[in-house]
Amino acid sequence: MPEVPPPAPTGDELLRVLSALGNPHRMRIVAALLESRNYVSALAREIGMSRPLLHMHLQRLEAAGLVVGTLELAEDGKAMKYFDVTPFFYELTPGVIARAAATLTEAEKTEAEKEEAK
Amino acid sequence: MPEVPPPAPTGDELLRVLSALGNPHRMRIVAALLESRNYVSALAREIGMSRPLLHMHLQRLEAAGLVVGTLELAEDGKAMKYFDVTPFFYELTPGVIARAAATLTEAEKTEAEKEEAK
DNA sequence: GGGTCCTGTCAGCCTTTTCTGACAGGTACG
DNA sequence: CGTACCTGTCAGAAAAGGCTGACAGGACCC
């Protein structure tokens, strides 16, 4: 098994993932898409959510790399954007969090940076 | 290996954890506490954050079970609340999210739930 | 007593996120 | 043509989260 994924996500990456998954609607979206890929309008109807709102949530999930959308042409010529769940895997432990926090770019932070800057 | 951690967190639990960790300040707090336990005021100074604000973040982390605070009496009689990081462990995969999403209580989902609960 | 630490909480502001209702475009079918 | 789907985006309202400054109490030391 050559697959030895180094569990060392960037602070920013992990932050995107966690804040993306830390939302009930988005958790449900992932669950629904895992059961069966779907396109935006149908998914919106399925989980009872307005389309613009779902669009926003999907954007957030895709930005975090948890979901991918592909624009496909149906037989009848309609353009439909199908979304699939990516096989992501993250481990959440104090160590992982600490290592990630150390690489947070998160704009001008306090003492640490200023001290270093001297 | 008797260690077979059942990765089946409740929807609500996982939601609390993810939204707690999905914040740069709180990631940093966990990182700082992992390096060395500390009490509120000192930690506030260390990471350059107002005490009431840190208090709120610690509350959120503790509610998620990622951190525990114990009120200890110092020699000089001062009451200080020391915080420690708990050895938490969560796996983040599509399947885990889906299973968790299925158990989301999602607070007051109208009276429908209460009706169902009967 | 006054000063210095520690703890906690509160009202109110400010920023971000969430959400809705419109609007835009495209292609196909009757 | 109008209708029915699909896609996207926008302004602005509503809700949630983040943050500050002030206040409360308690225990110590000078």
Side-chain angles (χ1 to χ4, degrees):
Chain A
M1 55 297 268
E3 277 297 345
V4 182
T10 298
D12 294 353
E13 180 195 348
L14 191 57
L15 185 57
R16 259 193 309 271
V17 169
L18 293 178
S19 60
L21 251 25
N23 175 294
H25 284 160
R26 287 194 283 267
M27 282 181 60
R28 264 191 270 266
I29 291 173
V30 169
L33 285 181
L34 182 62
E35 194 170 330
S36 72
R37 69 197 302 265
N38 211 344
Y39 61 96
V40 186
S41 288
L43 183 57
R45 283 189 293 265
E46 182 186 329
I47 62 182
M49 179 181 297
S50 79
R51 202 173 48 80
L53 183 55
L54 176 60
H55 184 270
M56 186 261 279
H57 284 312
L58 284 172
Q59 227 171 225
R60 212 124 155 39
L61 286 170
E62 188 167 31
L66 304 172
V67 129
V68 282
T70 55
L71 197 64
E72 302 180 8
L73 269 302
E75 295 184 354
D76 61 349
K78 282 181 197 162
M80 355 242 302
K81 189 155 191 180
Y82 275 86
F83 277 88
D84 293 83
V85 180
T86 63
F88 60 84
F89 174 77
Y90 290 94
E91 262 185 17
L92 251 45
T93 69
V96 171
I97 298 295
R99 274 185 293 276
T103 72
L104 274 175
T105 129
E106 197 54 45
E108 77 297 328
K109 195 40 198 171
T110 46
E111 41 85 37
E113 271 190 30
K114 293 191 176 180
E115 292 298 314
E116 298 299 319
K118 286 198 294 196
Chain B
M1 54 294 270
E3 276 299 343
V4 181
T10 298
D12 294 353
E13 179 194 349
L14 191 56
L15 185 57
R16 261 192 307 270
V17 169
L18 294 178
S19 60
L21 252 24
N23 176 292
H25 283 4
R26 288 193 283 266
M27 282 182 59
R28 263 190 271 265
I29 291 173
V30 170
L33 285 182
L34 181 62
E35 194 172 329
S36 71
R37 69 197 301 266
N38 211 344
Y39 61 97
V40 185
S41 289
L43 182 57
R45 283 189 293 264
E46 181 186 329
I47 62 182
M49 178 181 298
S50 79
R51 201 171 50 80
L53 183 55
L54 175 61
H55 185 269
M56 186 260 280
H57 283 312
L58 284 173
Q59 226 170 226
R60 212 120 155 42
L61 286 170
E62 188 168 31
L66 304 171
V67 129
V68 281
T70 54
L71 196 63
E72 303 181 6
L73 269 301
E75 295 184 356
D76 62 349
K78 281 179 195 161
M80 354 238 307
K81 190 155 190 181
Y82 275 86
F83 277 88
D84 294 83
V85 180
T86 64
F88 59 85
F89 174 76
Y90 289 94
E91 263 184 18
L92 249 46
T93 69
V96 171
I97 298 295
R99 273 185 293 274
T103 72
L104 273 175
T105 133
E106 190 56 55
E108 74 300 321
K109 188 64 174 295
T110 64
E111 299 81 39
E113 269 190 35
K114 295 189 176 181
E115 294 299 314
E116 297 298 321
K118 290 195 298 194

